Amino acid sequence: MEGLVNITPGIPTNRIRNDDGDNKYHLYGNETFLDDKAMFYTENKPEKFIMANKKTKLITTESEDIILNMATSEAAIVMPEHAGYALPYNYSKLTLNTQLIDKDFLVFWINESPQFAQQIKSNNASSKHNLRRITVRMFNELKIELPDIEDQKKAGLLYKSLIELSSQTRKKTELMSKIIGQKVFLEVKNSDDEQRNDEA
């Protein structure tokens, strides 16, 4: 991966949690990552915050950044809603040579490619714990077979479109659930009101 992708790890949160700074940051976490991976923004999800001063060298997210989950070896692209979040040590930011590798294709390759999965499995063969974890060294040593950049873009766009379709379906399902829930509530309320009127 060296020469194609630069990996910048987040920083340990214990370096900043006790910081007496006055700048408040959202902390990028599992719920945030899952939203980004699914391209689905969950409202009212649990949020963690940290305080940091200007001297603290934070790694923060920007919209369209690629984030690598070091614990699960999965990648996601940051949604606009999650820009400006502080990145902890179990996540890393990936910066690409865009003339050689397409952003969406890289996310597809990390999340779906048997070639990637096999390399992670081989590197963790001696581990008795997390077989999906990845380190900076492991990432830099990954081997990737790259199609032509135009073919990468086509594959990446298709993968992104499938995720967007799934996200839209999920949004429609949640909206329908809310509408049905509100309708049932009103029917029960009206029934109770009618019963009280009859008793009166």
Side-chain angles (χ1 to χ4, degrees), residues 52-183:
N53 61 38
K54 295 180 180 179
K55 294 181 180 180
T56 306
K57 295 182 179 180
L58 292 178
I59 305 297
T60 56
T61 59
E62 295 180 21
S63 179
E64 295 296 309
D65 276 347
I66 298 180
I67 301 300
L68 180 65
N69 187 324
M70 308 301 283
T72 65
S73 298
E74 296 175 299
I77 295 178
V78 175
M79 302 171 66
E81 293 87 347
H82 298 148
Y85 280 43
L87 209 61
Y89 72 97
N90 48 328
Y91 296 94
S92 293
K93 182 186 294 194
L94 304 182
T95 308
L96 317 184
N97 182 337
T98 54
Q99 293 183 334
L100 299 177
I101 186 166
D102 177 70
K103 174 175 58 180
D104 294 317
F105 178 81
L106 178 62
V107 174
F108 161 69
W109 186 79
I110 291 173
N111 291 340
E112 308 295 341
S113 166
Q115 182 188 27
F116 175 83
Q118 183 57 46
Q119 291 182 74
I120 298 301
K121 183 178 179 180
S122 297
N123 276 301
N124 286 316
S126 60
S127 175
K128 296 180 181 180
H129 303 290
N130 186 358
L131 299 180
R132 288 286 298 171
R133 72 179 183 85
I134 188 170
T135 64
V136 172
R137 179 189 60 79
M138 287 166 57
F139 183 84
N140 285 330
E141 293 177 354
L142 289 172
K143 306 298 181 184
I144 182 172
E145 297 175 4
L146 290 176
D148 178 85
I149 188 67
E150 293 304 318
D151 290 334
Q152 290 181 46
K153 290 179 179 179
K154 291 177 183 177
L157 180 61
L158 177 59
Y159 180 66
K160 184 176 181 179
S161 297
L162 289 173
I163 297 176
E164 287 177 337
L165 179 60
S166 177
S167 175
Q168 291 299 323
T169 301
R170 185 175 167 187
K171 288 177 182 177
K172 289 179 181 178
T173 300
E174 288 202 358
L175 180 59
M176 288 179 63
S177 296
K178 288 181 180 179
I179 293 172
I180 292 172
Q182 290 172 353
K183 184 177 180 180

